[in-house]
Every structure is written in structure tokens, then in C-alpha cells.
Amino acid sequence: MSRSAELSRLIRDRAGEEPPEYGLILGSGLGHLAAAVEGVAILYSDLPGFPHAGVSGHVPQLVIGQLEGRRVAVLGGRAHYYESGRADVMRLPLEVLKALGTRQLILTNAAGSLRAAMPPGSLMLLSDHIAFAGTNPLIGEASEARFVPMSDAHDPTLRAGLKAAAEAEGIALPEGVYCWFSGPSFETPAEIRAARILGADAVGMSTVPEVILARFLGLRCAAVSVITNMGAGLSDEAISHEHTKAMAPLGAAKLERILRRFLGQAA
Ligand code: HPA
């Protein structure tokens, strides 16, 4: 049995057989969404091979249960490329979601904004992304499946559903391009100007490798950024991880309303 099949067996023994319809990956400061799920929580430390997400503001556990009448699997505590230098660090958790029967994935993250109209506390739905970190989680993958098309990586149907949910909640959810920087240092002002020229609307240190892996595995996905700060050089405010964590709840409350509405209305 493959490792993902073994882990999926272990998880189903504890949480039940019903496949989660949606997987959710929670970004920095967005962990409390997991608490809204009525279900079973399993610590990553009980799931051999799951990454030890070392970033404060993340709770390293998988929660499976009901949210707004939908069965969901919530990954709190994602691991980042910058923690290990491994861009495929989230591969096993995503393989396990697939083995559980999940086919749709919603990713969230904290990000810096490059647009004045998208200040801290606002949200952005990813229309597309730029893998500026210069690596790829599928490097070393031997199968032909590694040549993953990325034209509609950010699924139009899921995006339309999230936009409709935002509209129904009266919350602005502009679409934009997310540029993945490796971190863990924040960008320089020159890098932020460069990202703007490249066509980015927000910058962050996550999500893109997971979207690539999800597409490789055949999961449909969409991602939402919670804007915690303006990109370096775009405002006088100092950028820090503390600030990110402090600002995330502002947008997180709105994101939770959108996700609840989205799940409640999903066909
Ligand atoms: N840059 C990169 N990642 C981030 C930022 C940022 O400005 N804010 C939150 N995550």
C-alpha cells in the first residue's frame, strides 16, 4: 500500500468513510476556521510523513467534519518551501486528500498587496499566479504526468462560486495575480516594483507549489489571499511576521463568511 493509501485508511478509521467534498488549506493567522468545523482533529504528528509546519500562527492538524452541511478536510498548518528547501513538502498531505476522495481544494494565504485599492484587511481571489521563486514541486517527478497544463490552474467554476458567495455577503473579492517569492525574508522594494511590472497584484510565500501539486493530482483548486500589508516600499508601515499574524484576522473574518456561504450554496 502506498503511504497516502495507508494514511487515508488511518484517517478514515478515525473520522469515518465519507469522502470530504472540499479540502481547505489555511494560511497564517487563518487557523481558527478549523475550529468552526464539527468533526475529528488529527495532529500531523499522528500522521507519519506529514510535514512539521514550524511557523507560528499555524496549528499542525487535519480536521475532518461538517461545515455548512458539507464534508470538508481542513489542513491547518501548511509547510512552506522556505522551511526545508523542498518545494514538494505538501505533496503527501495533498495525496492523502485525494486518497480520501477529495476532488476540490480551496487554499488560503496571507499576502502583501501591490495595489492601493487592495489595502490590509482586504481579500484577493487568485485569477492566476507567477512562480517567481524559480523552483517547482514536480522537479524529480519521473512520470509523464509531470507536464501539467497550468492554463486554468485556478478553476473558473470554483472562482465563480467564490465570487458569487462574496457578492451575496456584500464583501469585495477582486481577482488578481499572486507572485510566489521563496521567503523567508520579505521582498525588497525593488523586488516589489519588479513584481508589479511582471503583472503581479499580490506577493506571498506559499500556495503556488500546492496549486501545481493539486493540478498534478487532478484536484480542482482556487485560492484566496488575505492582504495583511502593502508590499515593501509601498507604505511606511514596517513589514514583519508579527504584523502579518496581527492583521490576518481582519480579513479572515470576511473570508470565513465567504467560505461558509460558498459551502452552503455549493451544488
Ligand atoms: N510578502 C510575502 N509574503 C507575505 C507578505 C509580503 O509582503 N505579507 C504576508 N505574507
Side-chain angles (χ1 to χ4, degrees), residues 110-113 181 186-187 192 203-205 226 228-232 239 244:
S113 172
F181 279 83
F186 284 101
E187 300 74 29
I192 291 297
V203 293
M205 306 177 192
V226 169
T228 53
N229 57 278
M230 298 307 293
I239 298 173
T244 296

Side-chain angles (χ1 to χ4, degrees), residues 99 191 210:
E191 286 165 345
E210 294 136 52

Side-chain angles (χ1 to χ4, degrees), residues 169-232:
E169 289 292 329
I171 297 169
L173 186 62
E175 287 202 326
V177 173
Y178 174 96
C179 187
W180 173 38
F181 279 83
S182 76
S185 57
F186 284 101
E187 300 74 29
T188 63
E191 286 165 345
I192 291 297
R193 289 193 298 275
R196 191 78 197 97
I197 291 167
L198 289 177
D201 301 295
V203 293
M205 306 177 192
S206 68
T207 304
V208 170
E210 294 136 52
V211 170
I212 295 170
L213 288 166
R215 294 310 300 141
F216 170 69
L217 296 170
L219 307 179
R220 299 198 294 130
C221 49
V224 180
S225 291
V226 169
I227 301 298
T228 53
N229 57 278
M230 298 307 293

Side-chain angles (χ1 to χ4, degrees), residues 227-243:
I227 301 298
T228 53
N229 57 278
M230 298 307 293
L234 299 182
S235 103
D236 295 338
E237 209 153 19
I239 298 173
S240 70
H241 185 57
E242 288 311 312
H243 183 258

